[in-house]
Amino acid sequence: MKTIQGPSIHLAQFSDVAAPFNDLPSIAAWAAQLGYKAVQLPAWDERLFDVKLAAESQVYCDQVRGMLAEHGLVISELTTHIFGQLLAVHPAYDVLCDGFAPPQVRGNPAARTAWARERLLLAARASRRLGLAEMGTFSGALAWPYLFPFPQRPPGLIETAFDELARRWLPILDACDENGVNLCYEIHPSEDLHDGVTFEMFHERVGGHQRCAILFDPSHFVLQQLNYLDYLDIYKDHIRMFHVKDAEFNPSGRQGIYGGYQSWENRAGRFRSLGDGQVDFKAVFSKLTQYDYAGWATVEWECCLKHPDQGAREGVDFVNRHIIEVTDKVFDDFAGVPVDAAQLKQLLGIA
């Protein structure tokens, strides 16, 4: 068994136009002061990181790593969720997703997809230059509007969507393989890869690609009412990244999983700061340790009630308290006695 690394913090929810959250040196100093050991870098946020330059320049990558080292930090992983989202966009979401893309490709879905593909390829190369072995992403969503349809889905609709999803991702998975990087899809509502069945459908279509992996975030399982501990048992061999994020689900006679179009604070299912929700993190950390998860435990703060500063402060202690320092001893070794082959037969009553 291995001891989980941590705590790391995903910077996507903290970067801002205001200091100290508007550049990497400043936000690194803030994270280090709180006690984090690593930062997870959003590759789309140019205030913090230039993914194109990182893909092309070892000097730039070494400078980034050196600056972080001065604060006692390393990079746990790059994340590419926005790029992955834009690789596969259903037309219903074109207008909203255009806001994630640069002005020159807005209003042009084909150009936007090509831009996202290029960015994902750049991020794979940047990960290699940074010495990283995992990269997080979203799958995108071609079929999501048909999740609970009426009229019913026509035969072949979902199969066609997943065939196309696999076609778009295969060259990127191959590029990740060339760069020694596992591509970890966050299993997430609103993405086509949102549970175990959909991951299996995709994994089969990419030929069981060795770089096709999972970013595990139990909060999204609470909101779906999916058994996240059973999920760990089933998909343990695919999990390469871990977001430590809490959630709660409190259904009523008025609303349930779908949330009644309510704001986050008024939904039955809500993301919460660590320790304020319903995720059994003792069991999660225990299972990940048992299954030899060797990656990082990364705090991803999302809460509709608590201020992010408090969430970030509390997250350090929360992860530290849950990381299990694996033992190199067996607790009942003191009671063991040496026996030879003849004695083993004697114990079993074998002549």
Side-chain angles (χ1 to χ4, degrees), residues 154-187:
L157 178 71
I158 300 303
E159 291 77 8
T160 301
F162 273 76
D163 288 346
E164 176 63 17
L165 199 68
R167 186 190 70 81
R168 296 187 189 191
W169 277 107
L170 258 173
I172 297 162
L173 284 162
D174 287 342
C176 286
D177 192 31
E178 292 169 6
N179 287 281
V181 178
N182 296 313
L183 187 55
C184 306
Y185 294 92
E186 183 166 359
I187 305 304

Side-chain angles (χ1 to χ4, degrees), residues 150-269:
F150 182 83
Q152 67 267 35
R153 291 187 293 258
L157 178 71
I158 300 303
E159 291 77 8
T160 301
F162 273 76
D163 288 346
E164 176 63 17
L165 199 68
R167 186 190 70 81
R168 296 187 189 191
W169 277 107
L170 258 173
I172 297 162
L173 284 162
D174 287 342
C176 286
D177 192 31
E178 292 169 6
N179 287 281
V181 178
N182 296 313
L183 187 55
C184 306
Y185 294 92
E186 183 166 359
I187 305 304
H188 190 292
S190 78
E191 306 301 319
D192 280 343
L193 273 61
H194 59 269
D195 59 12
V197 173
T198 51
F199 175 77
E200 291 176 15
M201 291 166 61
F202 179 76
H203 190 252
E204 179 183 3
R205 283 169 170 78
V206 295
H209 202 291
Q210 64 176 347
R211 296 298 179 178
C212 180
I214 290 172
L215 190 169
F216 174 73
D217 180 338
S219 69
H220 300 299
F221 296 74
V222 172
L223 268 56
Q224 294 184 76
Q225 290 298 279
L226 193 158
N227 188 322
Y228 51 86
L229 297 179
D230 193 33
Y231 192 96
L232 287 173
D233 294 334
I234 298 169
Y235 300 104
K236 57 183 180 296
D237 294 333
H238 297 285
I239 295 169
R240 295 289 182 272
M241 291 176 63
F242 172 31
H243 275 173
V244 190
K245 191 171 74 178
D246 213 341
E248 63 183 354
F249 182 66
N250 299 303
S252 70
R254 302 183 68 212
Q255 61 160 293
I257 289 175
Y258 299 114
Y261 296 112
Q262 297 303 294
S263 61
W264 275 112
E265 61 267 26
N266 293 320
R267 294 184 195 180

Side-chain angles (χ1 to χ4, degrees), residues 50-61 118 122 125-126 129:
D50 187 331
V51 68
K52 187 174 188 298
L53 183 57
E56 298 168 351
S57 171
Q58 189 62 50
V59 171
Y60 172 73
C61 290
E118 176 200 26
L122 291 172
R125 288 161 52 195
R129 289 192 182 276

